[in-house]
Amino acid sequence: KAIDYSELSDGAFDISIGKLSSLWDFGENKDTVPSQKDINAALPTVDYHNIEISDNTITLKNPKTQIDLGGIAKGYIADQMKAQLRSDGITEGIINLGGNVLTVGPKKSGDTYKIGIQKPFDDSGSPIASVDITDASLVSSGVYERYFEKDGKRYHHILDPCTGAPSESDVVSTTIIADKGIDCDALSTATFLMGADAGMQLIDSLDGIEAVFIQSDGSVVTSKHIDKYQLQVNNS
C-alpha cells in the first residue's frame, strides 16, 4: 500500500526515507541538525523504486536503503483495531492514536462524531475547524507537534525526500478524511509535502477522500465535497 501511495504522489510519500529519518532522530529529542554532508550521503538511498516485493519477500536493490513506515503504520494499526473491535461485537466508539482518529459505526443515538482539527501552534489545543463523521477515519499531519528550534529556526519532523530536510511547503497542517485510516495516513503526509495546490488537486481526483489544509498564512483550503462532513471553521 505504501508503494502505491509513493507512485500516486510521484515520490512525495516515500517509505525508503529511513536513513534520513535516523539522521534527524526526532524521537530522541536530541535537537541536532545533521550536517549537509551526512544528508547528501543519505539522499541516494531514498527511492521507493529500490523496494521490490515478491510474495512475502521484500528485497532492497540498494543495500543502504532503509524503510521507515512512520507515515502509514498508525493508519494501518487503527484499521486493524477497528476490525478487532467489530469482531468483538463493538458497534460504537472512537479510536484515537494521536493525530489519527477512527470512529466505529454511528452512535446509538444516531448522532455523528464531531472531531476537531487542531489550530497549529495554539497551546490551548483549540480547534481551527471541526467536522462530523460517522464510521470513518480522520488523520492530520502538521509541523506543530514534533519539532525543535535551533539558532532561531524551527525544524519539524516531516522530511522532504528530495532535499533530506524538513518540508518547506506552503501548508502547516493537512487533514484527510476517508473510510480507511491507512489511506488517510499516507495521504496526509503526501499532500503536506506536495503543497496546497498539487495536494488538493490529488485529493479531488480521488473518490471518497476529502481534505482540509491549513496554509502558513492561517487560511483554510478544502476539497470539493467537504460539506458532506458539515465543516465548521473557527475564524476567531
Side-chain angles (χ1 to χ4, degrees):
K1 193 72 170 179
I3 298 297
D4 289 344
Y5 277 112
S6 295
E7 294 176 345
L8 187 66
S9 65
D10 291 328
F13 179 83
D14 195 327
I15 60 167
S16 68
I17 202 168
K19 200 167 183 65
L20 280 171
S21 300
S22 62
L23 280 180
W24 287 90
D25 207 8
F26 285 89
E28 295 296 326
N29 296 315
K30 292 181 179 178
D31 298 358
T32 300
V33 179
S35 69
Q36 191 60 51
K37 179 181 178 181
D38 288 342
I39 291 175
N40 290 343
L43 280 172
T45 71
V46 182
D47 185 349
Y48 68 92
H49 295 99
N50 287 331
I51 305 170
E52 292 184 337
I53 302 174
S54 177
D55 297 325
N56 203 34
T57 299
I58 296 176
T59 303
L60 301 178
K61 291 191 286 186
N62 183 338
K64 293 184 178 180
T65 292
Q66 297 178 11
I67 292 177
D68 179 352
L69 292 167
I72 197 170
K74 266 204 295 190
Y76 170 81
I77 291 166
D79 289 337
Q80 300 307 306
M81 292 173 68
K82 180 175 179 176
Q84 182 63 51
L85 291 173
R86 286 287 202 191
S87 69
D88 290 340
I90 304 299
T91 59
E92 177 182 354
I94 296 177
I95 299 166
N96 188 344
L97 303 185
N100 291 55
V101 175
L102 198 151
T103 61
V104 181
K107 294 182 179 181
K108 292 177 182 177
S109 64
D111 293 338
T112 58
Y113 296 88
K114 186 174 289 292
I115 309 297
I117 298 172
Q118 185 173 338
K119 186 176 182 179
F121 306 112
D122 187 311
D123 293 337
S124 69
S126 300
I128 192 171
S130 65
V131 292
D132 294 345
I133 63 175
T134 299
D135 208 28
S137 179
L138 179 150
V139 175
S140 295
S141 292
V143 302
Y144 49 86
E145 290 289 352
R146 294 172 58 196
Y147 68 89
F148 64 84
E149 294 185 359
K150 191 84 168 180
D151 299 326
K153 183 175 181 178
R154 179 181 288 116
Y155 298 89
H156 63 81
H157 74 289
I158 305 177
L159 302 179
D160 187 332
C162 296
T163 66
S167 169
E168 295 185 2
S169 75
D170 59 352
V171 293
V172 293
S173 171
T174 53
T175 296
I176 307 296
I177 307 169
D179 290 341
K180 296 284 189 180
I182 193 169
D183 298 322
C184 293
D185 211 359
L187 284 169
S188 67
T189 302
T191 54
F192 187 99
L193 290 159
M194 295 170 73
D197 289 343
M200 199 59 75
Q201 188 174 5
L202 172 61
I203 294 301
D204 283 336
S205 73
L206 302 173
D207 292 332
I209 310 285
E210 302 300 332
V212 178
F213 297 168
I214 304 170
Q215 296 183 282
S216 53
D217 62 1
S219 60
V220 177
V221 180
T222 63
S223 54
K224 288 180 179 178
H225 304 294
I226 194 65
D227 287 346
K228 70 179 181 179
Y229 293 115
Q230 305 299 312
L231 174 72
Q232 294 180 317
V233 177
N234 179 8
N235 293 314
S236 62

